Amino acid sequence: MTGSGLLLVDKPGGMTSHDVVSRVRRLAGTRKVGHAGTLDPMATGLLIIGVNSSTRLLTYIVGADKEYLATIRLGSATTTDDAEGDETARADAAALAAVEGDAIRAGIAELTGEIQQIPSAVSAIKVDGKRAYARVRAGEEVVLEPRAVTVSEFELVDERRTADAIDLDVRVVCSSGTYIRSLARDLGAGLGVGGHLTALRRTRVGDYDVRDAHDLDTLDPEAALLPAVDAATALFERLDLTEQQAIDLTHGRRIHLADREGPGGVPVAAVAPTGHLVGLVEFRGKEARTLVNFPTDEIATA
């Protein structure tokens, strides 16, 4: 069985994030597998997978900022705000030809910064306990509430025009919970010609980059695993423990550090002298208490 740690996977198109998790479960020989941040089936790119006790780290990764490369097609709108949906409206050639580059750049600028965004109706957001996309597929009309998101960078990389479409290659850096499909929809709507997403690739989550990710078809979980201690110390400040401190934290006791203190609520990666991850702790003054423990039975393989 594979030890505890993170796997960086380059998700191929046509698979759900759950499909990737199922494949990793079989390859790693464990049911304890989860992911940090869903990618639509159409999308490719970085999917961070937690294995065994390192699934406990995923909650701290989900909220990290993300970077995407995407293609937005102006000139038509769809039911899903991407290429997998049915077309609901199409602009005529004259309206499309009238869309100038300055208007596109102004539209992008309006969708940059702290904005209120209405998620796509076919998102995984729950409405009265049921996923929005399931309600849409059942024939229900779903309108979700706007939510605050931050689009810190929205860069136009390339523009290609035909008689019936304008394709925009863009790079987006945004907060967790931002829907790139919704940016495509809103940009097209603001320009009066409709818009939807035709390609999406996630290139970064926090400090993790898709260039370090592994192809799913050739994935060897044992060889590709980023050990729990390395994953945690990449995310958080490191605290090196004495042998007795490691024992105390393992048994749920608080430890006192005379030469160190910190604010509450900020996780710190506590590492034993053996080099394994004991857990995540938080300081209250000069005392540290455990937020998340990592089981000692995984130490040999972590």
Side-chain angles (χ1 to χ4, degrees):
M1 184 179 76
T2 302
S4 172
L6 299 181
L7 292 170
L8 307 184
V9 175
D10 190 343
K11 187 188 91 65
M15 295 183 74
T16 67
S17 298
H18 182 71
D19 291 336
V20 176
V21 167
S22 296
R23 177 86 66 88
V24 172
R25 282 175 176 155
R26 291 194 298 272
L27 292 172
T30 177
R31 295 289 302 168
K32 295 179 182 177
V33 177
H35 68 79
T38 301
L39 280 174
D40 292 333
M42 182 187 83
T44 67
L46 182 59
L47 191 65
I48 299 179
I49 304 288
V51 180
N52 291 319
S53 62
S54 288
T55 54
R56 300 172 190 183
L57 294 174
L58 297 179
T59 186
Y60 299 98
I61 299 173
V62 168
D65 71 325
K66 298 169 177 66
E67 180 187 66
Y68 296 91
L69 299 179
T71 301
I72 296 171
R73 175 158 293 175
L74 300 177
S76 56
T78 71
T79 54
T80 58
D81 303 325
D82 64 19
E84 297 189 329
D86 297 325
E87 189 175 283
T88 58
R90 175 175 286 273
D92 60 41
L96 204 57
V99 176
E100 297 182 349
D102 286 346
I104 292 172
R105 286 185 285 274
I108 286 174
E110 287 183 11
L111 294 169
T112 304
E114 295 182 5
I115 63 173
Q116 290 288 320
Q117 183 184 74
I118 298 175
S120 172
V122 289
S123 68
I125 294 172
K126 286 188 176 181
V127 180
D128 294 332
K130 189 175 180 180
R131 301 288 186 188
Y133 63 74
R135 291 187 176 276
V136 170
R137 288 170 185 165
E140 297 180 37
E141 184 174 343
V142 175
V143 179
L144 298 172
E145 291 295 318
R147 54 173 58 187
V149 298
T150 300
V151 179
S152 52
E153 297 181 55
F154 194 169
E155 176 189 359
L156 178 60
V157 177
D158 194 23
E159 176 185 327
R160 298 177 300 281
R161 291 180 180 248
T162 63
D164 56 2
I166 303 173
D167 284 338
L168 308 175
D169 294 333
V170 300
R171 185 181 72 88
V172 177
V173 178
C174 56
S175 62
S176 178
T178 305
Y179 285 86
I180 311 302
R181 283 181 290 160
S182 297
L183 291 179
R185 175 200 67 204
D186 294 344
L187 179 61
L191 293 167
V193 293
H196 67 278
L197 202 64
T198 60
L200 181 66
R201 179 165 178 78
R202 186 157 67 197
T203 52
R204 183 178 60 77
V205 176
D207 291 333
Y208 297 105
D209 196 286
V210 73
R211 289 174 292 188
D212 300 317
H214 299 266
D215 290 338
L216 188 60
D217 287 341
T218 57
L219 180 67
D220 177 351
E222 199 74 51
L225 194 72
L226 180 65
V229 64
D230 294 340
T233 53
L235 291 166
F236 310 110
E237 186 181 349
R238 176 178 176 133
L239 171 64
D240 287 298
L241 304 170
T242 66
E243 184 177 355
Q244 186 59 50
Q245 288 170 338
I247 292 170
D248 288 343
L249 285 175
T250 298
H251 289 91
R253 293 191 286 269
R254 299 186 180 206
I255 59 172
H256 182 82
L257 293 98
D259 59 346
R260 183 166 179 168
E261 62 182 300
V266 179
V268 175
V271 181
T274 55
H276 76 268
L277 180 67
V278 173
L280 302 180
V281 301
E282 70 167 344
F283 279 88
R284 295 287 175 87
K286 293 183 179 295
E287 273 197 341
R289 69 178 187 92
T290 301
L291 288 171
V292 180
N293 249 334
F294 278 69
T296 54
D297 61 3
E298 287 185 0
I299 291 171
T301 55

